[in-house]
Amino acid sequence: MADVDLAIIGSGPGGYVAAIRAGQLGMKVACVEREAVGGVCLNWGCIPSKALIRHAEVLSTVRHADAFGITTGPISADYAAAVARSRKVVDRLTKGVAGLLRKHSVEVLTGAGRLDGPGEVRVSGADGERALSAGHVIIATGARAMTPPGIETDGQVVVTYREAILQERAPERVVIIGGGAIGAEFAYIYRAYGAQVSIVELEPRLLPREDEESSKALTRALDKQGIEVLTGSKVAGVSVAGGIATVSVETPDGPRSLEADRVLVAVGIRPNTEGLGLEEAGVRTERGYVQVDADLSTSARGVYAIGDVTGIMPLAHVAQAQAVHAVEHLAGLAPQPLDYGAMPRAVYTNPQVASVGLTEREAQERGKAIRVGKFPLLANGKALALGEQDGLAKVIVDDATGELLGAHLVGHEVTEMLGELSLTRLLEGTDAELGAVVNPHPTLSEAIKEAALAAGGQAIHI
């Protein structure tokens, strides 16, 4: 008899959701966590960063209150108070997750877990070691920040998101290495608190995996906010002396030397697979990422992997979807296949960037005959009323069938509108069906309808 039906290594968004779903199905579950319940997302990533972004939004609104006929006096912004509130949000959510695990009788074991043979997990913690036998194992150990060769972080001046999210002082000058989601979000936060911000991105544009028009729209918005964006540029070196960093950058216009009191390295992630005993257990990896099939099974019998450690689509909500699928599969159910093309993507700058499915270039590279529909938020009544008219809605549809292949949004709180598009993509909906949806008026969501109508030359308000 195994000690538990399911042992899960890692309690991030994938791990804890897997534990709860397994508990719902009547399994005896143990979840191994070496740091904090909720993993990076709840403790040092998604949640605290969104709290800080909210502070930045409020600060920006107050600073531009005169546009709404409101006169303010001198404005004082306490960044340490923003960080303190973000930690309160984290504390509340992590306690909530811990409570849900207790509710479903999940045993949480504090320590580092590793595979120690078929169906065997060894947990090493402050109280010693414990051997745990399990019917199935799920690896949900996530990933951590990657640091490029030649750049060393010190946790104070040169940092990753992990240190930055806890620092209680906003920098006066900051260089952000990497123009992906993390880099863009921190750029917005720091700029709102008055920092001089430069983003250095190796690729020709920000958010290189997003649609080109979304990248251009975000770059324009950040430029208006006073954020310097250096694309097609490479960091040649970083040196620190007296608490000041000098960043040497090779740009298309020649070398630049940027001084800053903080350098944020945000160039990607690497999987947490060291010390897990994967090779000995017969779990195949590639470039460090655990390889899985469509049901999240690894090459080792009874062992599954979910979330960032698989490298498939490193997003918290994808990890959660994988968690439910893996648990239901190992329980003998028949879960609906995961459609990664219907998984939404979100960047929480201001304006926000949201997308699902293919970019226009990806559709073209796949040989698709497409139609494209666009609608600018400048023509949307709600956006104008909010004073948030920067951005657009864009849909890409199959020319013959009208099936929605991809959708891209830039604008205020557009991430909240992704559900409508994800559902359309999941159900293989068309531009005609999306255009037939009656959206409430006035709302930002009307821009989606108009973009869909525009794909067929039927947009009403432009």
Side-chain angles (χ1 to χ4, degrees):
M1 289 287 291
D3 296 324
V4 294
D5 299 307
L6 175 63
I8 302 167
I9 305 177
S11 72
Y16 82 72
V17 168
I20 290 171
R21 182 65 184 124
Q24 290 174 341
L25 293 174
M27 297 183 199
K28 186 177 182 181
V29 185
C31 188
V32 183
E33 174 55 55
R34 67 181 181 181
E35 289 191 279
V37 169
V40 168
C41 180
L42 264 67
N43 291 278
W44 307 284
C46 319
I47 299 304
S49 64
K50 302 313 165 282
L52 292 179
I53 286 170
R54 178 55 179 160
H55 279 261
E57 290 171 345
V58 171
L59 179 56
S60 180
T61 299
V62 172
R63 282 189 170 144
H64 296 93
D66 59 331
F68 298 91
I70 300 170
T71 301
T72 62
I75 297 171
S76 176
D78 186 346
Y79 188 75
V83 173
R85 178 179 168 274
S86 77
R87 302 320 299 172
K88 289 181 180 178
V89 173
V90 166
D91 184 60
R92 179 167 182 172
L93 284 174
T94 53
K95 286 179 178 176
V97 170
L100 289 171
L101 293 173
R102 288 193 299 271
K103 175 184 175 182
H104 292 92
S105 302
V106 176
E107 182 182 10
V108 178
L109 303 175
T110 302
R114 65 172 281 128
L115 296 174
D116 200 24
E120 298 293 331
V121 174
R122 183 168 297 277
V123 182
S124 302
D127 298 327
E129 291 192 347
R130 173 179 171 182
L132 187 71
S133 61
H136 293 87
V137 177
I138 292 180
I139 301 166
T141 50
R144 63 189 185 278
M146 179 172 64
T147 304
I151 298 178
E152 295 185 8
T153 59
D154 58 21
Q156 296 296 322
V157 177
V158 185
V159 300
T160 68
Y161 68 83
R162 181 70 178 259
E163 297 85 25
I165 206 72
L166 298 174
Q167 290 177 314
E168 296 183 347
R169 181 186 63 83
E172 294 182 7
R173 297 173 298 172
V174 60
V175 175
I176 298 175
I177 305 174
I182 292 173
E185 290 177 6
F186 270 101
Y188 172 69
I189 294 169
Y190 288 148
R191 182 58 188 152
Y193 277 86
Q196 177 184 314
V197 182
S198 297
I199 302 176
V200 182
E201 169 56 49
L202 184 62
E203 297 291 332
R205 56 191 177 88
L206 294 181
L207 306 183
R209 291 181 177 83
E210 293 299 326
D211 191 81
E212 289 187 28
E213 288 192 71
S214 295
S215 296
K216 290 177 181 178
L218 177 61
T219 300
R220 286 194 298 269
L222 296 184
D223 182 67
K224 284 172 61 176
Q225 294 169 28
I227 295 171
E228 181 182 35
V229 177
L230 302 174
T231 52
S233 300
K234 179 182 179 180
V235 173
V238 178
S239 61
V240 180
I244 300 298
T246 300
V247 183
S248 301
V249 184
E250 297 173 359
T251 79
D253 298 322
R256 290 274 304 275
S257 181
L258 306 175
E259 287 193 347
D261 52 301
R262 187 170 304 165
V263 177
L264 173 62
V265 182
V267 295
I269 58 173
R270 58 185 301 180
N272 293 322
T273 49
E274 299 89 348
L276 291 178
L278 300 182
E279 185 176 351
E280 297 87 340
V283 176
R284 188 168 67 87
T285 62
E286 192 172 301
R287 294 179 297 106
Y289 291 100
V290 178
Q291 301 302 291
V292 294
D293 63 14
D295 293 312
L296 292 312
S297 294
T298 72
S299 53
R301 184 176 180 180
V303 179
Y304 292 71
I306 59 176
D308 292 7
V309 76
T310 68
I312 293 175
M313 202 172 180
L315 299 168
H317 47 278
V318 174
Q320 293 178 334
Q322 291 176 328
V324 172
H325 185 99
V327 169
E328 293 184 351
H329 181 264
L330 67 86
L333 304 180
Q336 182 173 333
L338 293 171
D339 180 2
Y340 293 103
M343 299 290 184
R345 305 182 296 273
V347 182
Y348 297 86
T349 49
N350 195 351
Q352 294 179 353
V353 178
S355 61
V356 64
L358 302 178
T359 66
E360 185 174 352
R361 174 170 291 187
E362 286 171 340
Q364 292 169 340
E365 289 175 346
R366 296 187 187 189
K368 300 280 190 181
I370 60 173
R371 288 182 281 115
V372 176
K374 306 176 194 175
F375 190 80
L377 293 190
L378 265 172
N380 177 271
K382 182 64 178 291
L384 291 170
L386 292 172
E388 300 283 0
Q389 59 267 30
D390 287 342
L392 77 158
K394 175 179 179 178
V395 299
I396 300 148
V397 302
D398 185 280
D399 183 49
T401 66
E403 180 183 346
L404 180 68
L405 301 176
H408 306 274
L409 308 172
V410 180
H412 179 71
E413 292 294 335
V414 293
T415 57
E416 298 292 339
M417 292 152 52
L418 276 172
E420 181 177 337
L421 293 165
S422 296
L423 185 60
T424 303
R425 180 71 179 78
L426 183 66
L427 299 177
E428 300 179 348
T430 67
D431 59 326
E433 292 167 330
L434 193 55
V437 172
V438 179
N439 299 88
H441 176 77
T443 60
L444 295 174
S445 65
E446 290 175 285
I448 296 176
K449 176 186 178 75
E450 292 281 0
L453 291 172
Q458 301 175 28
I460 300 296
H461 291 95
I462 191 173

